[in-house]
Amino acid sequence: MINFFRKTRKKLADDNKFLKYSRYAIGEIFLVMIGILLALQVNNWNEQRKSISTQKASIGKLKFDLIADINRFNYLDSIYNSWKKEVDFTLSEVLSGTKDKLSHGEYSIGRGSVYYVTLKKTMYDEMTNTGVFYQLDNHELENSILEYYEIAEFELTKLNRDNQNMNDYFLDSSSWEQKNLNFRLLRGRYLDDIDWSWLQDPDSKKFKQLENHVIWFDYAIMANQLVLSQLKDKAQSTLTLIDDYIDESKDFLK
């Protein structure tokens, strides 16, 4: 094509046909410009495909992190539900004033720590560190992901701190006698000389201490379940947006 224009231009110049030569020269420049623009467009399109392909791969991995979080929340919720049943039983049966002795499980309920809750955010950290996260062309998805991790980090930091403070308080407030009794019940040794008379006295110090532990443990369980439920709902809504984004990306990359 270029050789053709060169030959034509030379012939017109030799024939001294300036007007025709000018037209051909302009046409040649115009075609070269179109070729450059098309090359740039193809290059931009290829770069866009690469970018979207990278984003899609990262978002796909982020999806698995969110699913792992949801599975973790569900697992903890099932444990909290079993603890809630134990708490309800303790409040209604164990602390009813009719028990003459307690098992280790009944006595130790409310004295253990609530689980430390963490997130799986490996891919989110990688996406923010590499800048892939900020290249997303879906602002709704970007905001949803950002809100999930910001809210989760804030709520879980506070929740874990409160759980640890409660556990530390109960450990510090437990007397040597309480720890010794818990140990004996756990090992099933030296049980015959245990004085359980306080179980029939709701006004006694030991009864009030156990009741206080159980009630605070009940509050902690409910607080943990509420936070995990809110985070799970947010993760689920983010997963829906991710699935929509992946489907749209498939259409573009065809």
Side-chain angles (χ1 to χ4, degrees):
M1 177 66 73
I2 294 176
N3 289 333
F4 170 77
F5 275 106
R6 284 176 178 172
K7 292 178 180 179
T8 303
R9 182 176 58 189
K10 186 176 183 304
K11 183 177 184 302
L12 292 174
D14 292 339
D15 293 343
N16 199 22
K17 296 180 179 179
F18 177 76
L19 182 59
K20 290 185 178 181
Y21 169 75
S22 299
R23 290 174 180 174
Y24 274 99
I26 294 172
E28 183 178 354
I29 295 172
F30 180 73
L31 286 176
V32 171
M33 291 178 62
I34 290 177
I36 293 173
L37 291 175
L38 287 176
L40 289 174
Q41 182 66 29
V42 171
N43 182 65
N44 291 337
W45 184 73
N46 287 332
E47 289 299 322
Q48 188 177 9
R49 281 177 59 88
K50 291 179 182 179
S51 177
I52 291 179
S53 180
T54 301
Q55 294 172 26
K56 178 184 173 183
S58 298
I59 288 295
K61 294 178 182 179
L62 181 70
K63 175 181 177 179
F64 286 113
D65 284 356
L66 290 174
I67 292 174
D69 285 346
I70 292 173
N71 290 337
R72 174 68 171 170
F73 298 155
N74 287 332
Y75 169 73
L76 291 176
D77 190 60
S78 65
I79 293 178
Y80 294 152
N81 284 332
S82 65
W83 287 353
K84 188 68 170 64
K85 291 179 181 179
E86 294 175 357
V87 166
D88 292 341
F89 175 80
T90 301
L91 292 175
S92 62
E93 301 295 334
V94 175
L95 297 176
S96 62
T98 60
K99 298 279 289 188
D100 57 357
K101 62 181 179 180
L102 299 179
S103 66
H104 172 261
E106 292 170 339
Y107 183 71
S108 64
I109 183 70
R111 300 179 188 276
S113 60
V114 183
Y115 281 104
Y116 190 88
V117 187
T118 59
L119 295 176
K120 184 174 177 59
K121 50 182 303 191
T122 306
M123 201 59 222
Y124 174 73
D125 289 339
E126 181 179 325
M127 289 178 66
T128 53
N129 291 335
T130 58
V132 173
F133 176 76
Y134 304 104
Q135 296 173 5
L136 292 175
D137 56 356
N138 187 316
H139 296 300
E140 183 180 10
L141 174 58
E142 180 182 341
N143 290 335
S144 183
I145 294 172
L146 186 62
E147 286 177 2
Y148 170 73
Y149 285 102
E150 285 186 344
I151 293 172
E153 184 176 2
F154 174 81
E155 293 293 344
L156 293 183
T157 297
K158 181 177 182 299
L159 188 69
N160 289 326
R161 183 181 63 244
D162 291 345
N163 289 339
Q164 187 61 49
N165 289 340
M166 183 189 72
N167 182 57
D168 293 342
Y169 170 77
F170 285 149
L171 288 176
D172 292 340
S173 63
S174 296
S175 65
W176 178 90
E177 183 181 4
Q178 289 174 317
K179 295 176 182 177
N180 177 266
L181 175 56
N182 194 44
F183 180 79
R184 289 160 68 183
L185 291 172
L186 177 63
R187 294 297 183 91
R189 302 175 62 184
Y190 311 113
L191 304 180
D192 294 338
D193 60 340
I194 296 177
D195 178 17
W196 292 110
S197 60
W198 56 271
L199 277 173
Q200 285 77 45
D201 183 9
D203 294 325
S204 67
K205 181 179 179 180
K206 291 182 180 179
F207 190 99
K208 291 296 185 183
Q209 285 177 333
L210 178 58
E211 184 179 47
N212 183 58
H213 284 184
V214 175
I215 290 175
W216 275 104
F217 192 58
D218 190 27
Y219 286 153
I221 291 172
M222 290 189 291
N224 277 259
Q225 286 188 307
L226 178 61
V227 170
L228 295 189
S229 176
Q230 293 172 340
L231 293 181
K232 185 170 69 173
D233 289 344
K234 184 60 180 174
Q236 290 282 13
S237 63
T238 303
L239 280 178
T240 300
L241 293 176
I242 287 177
D243 288 336
D244 292 341
Y245 176 83
I246 291 176
D247 289 340
E248 292 173 0
S249 299
K250 287 180 181 177
D251 294 336
F252 179 83
L253 295 174
K254 285 182 179 179

